Amino acid sequence: MDMADKITVVLADDHSLVRRGFRRMLEDDPGIAVVGEASDGEEAIRLARELRPRVIVMDCAMPGTSGLAATRSILGSCPDIAILMLSMHAEETLVRQALDAGARGYILKSALDLDLAAAVKRVAAGETVVDPHVSCPALKGERDRGLSARELEVLQLICDGHSNREIGARLDLSIHTVAVHRANIMKALGVHKTAELVVYAIHNGLVNLP
């Protein structure tokens, strides 16, 4: 694969062993190239401006200029860079601060099932990635675009594979009312097909999986 076709990444973490491990994880994927490493926030800012990577994998807590402060600075001058925040902490406040700073994702460094390459690809594609181990109820309101409780019920049944008639019978609604709910849900979430709706709902944690 040509370099121009790869997702270029800068790693920012104050521990060299962590950076080395992350580099190996990413470079096992032929579609990703690590083009630089930073040991603190200031270096991350400098490399962002010099290298213009597609993605920066940013440690949230670094000495001096923190990952949060570096994120704000980088996106102020390089808004097209996607920043994926890594942290040891799952507190909702930290997740909220990272996303408010402009980070496109927040994942836990300690997760045993950490798939860093997949997360990098998703943020590079414009998705918002939040670690499933993070409990952050406040984020759900953004992902569900303000769906009502009834619409979320209908969405769950759609994702369970039920027809409009079956959903109506379960919820004591007319088929027409179910169809209206389905149309409203799709409009709110910006999707146009049932398959897209199911994928969105699963990826964003809006439904319970069997």
Side-chain angles (χ1 to χ4, degrees):
M1 182 179 292
D2 292 338
M3 190 65 176
D5 298 323
K6 294 188 177 187
I7 298 171
T8 52
V9 177
V10 164
L11 296 173
D13 193 291
D14 57 311
H15 293 97
S16 60
L17 288 177
V18 172
R19 294 198 307 273
R20 188 181 306 168
F22 287 159
R23 176 184 278 270
R24 287 176 179 170
M25 291 172 66
L26 292 176
E27 293 191 334
D28 279 344
D29 191 306
I32 296 174
V34 177
V35 295
E37 295 185 21
S39 59
D40 57 43
E42 286 298 324
E43 191 173 11
I45 294 169
R46 179 179 61 80
L47 289 180
R49 291 170 179 167
E50 290 179 2
L51 301 175
R52 299 286 175 141
R54 288 269 301 283
V55 177
I56 296 178
V57 176
M58 181 86 73
D59 182 21
C60 189
M62 291 186 287
T65 301
S66 69
L68 290 174
T71 294
R72 294 189 190 94
S73 178
I74 290 167
L75 294 179
S77 57
C78 309
D80 293 335
I81 294 177
I83 295 183
L84 177 62
M85 194 73 72
L86 269 66
S87 176
M88 295 294 293
H89 307 288
E91 288 86 351
E92 180 179 343
T93 300
L94 286 175
V95 182
R96 170 60 61 191
Q97 289 176 346
L99 297 183
D100 285 347
R104 202 171 286 170
Y106 188 103
I107 60 177
L108 298 179
K109 298 166 74 171
S110 56
L112 295 177
D113 56 350
L114 175 62
D115 190 344
L116 189 57
V120 164
K121 287 181 174 180
R122 289 179 63 190
V123 297
E127 294 184 47
T128 297
V129 178
V130 178
D131 195 298
H133 301 92
V134 171
S135 176
C136 192
L139 296 177
K140 188 175 181 181
E142 296 175 0
R143 296 197 297 260
D144 66 22
R145 311 283 180 88
L147 297 183
S148 68
R150 175 62 83 188
E151 287 168 340
L152 288 171
E153 283 184 296
V154 172
L155 178 60
Q156 177 69 59
L157 292 171
I158 291 172
C159 292
D160 289 343
H162 295 290
S163 67
N164 285 3
R165 184 179 298 277
E166 291 168 335
I167 293 171
R170 283 173 172 260
L171 300 180
D172 195 24
L173 300 172
S174 71
I175 296 176
H176 173 72
T177 300
V178 174
V180 170
H181 280 312
R182 182 189 289 261
N184 288 341
I185 292 167
M186 289 186 169
K187 182 178 180 181
L189 300 183
V191 298
H192 307 287
K193 298 179 180 178
T194 298
E196 294 174 359
L197 179 63
V198 172
V199 170
Y200 182 99
I202 292 172
H203 279 180
N204 290 279
L206 302 184
V207 295
N208 298 314
L209 298 177

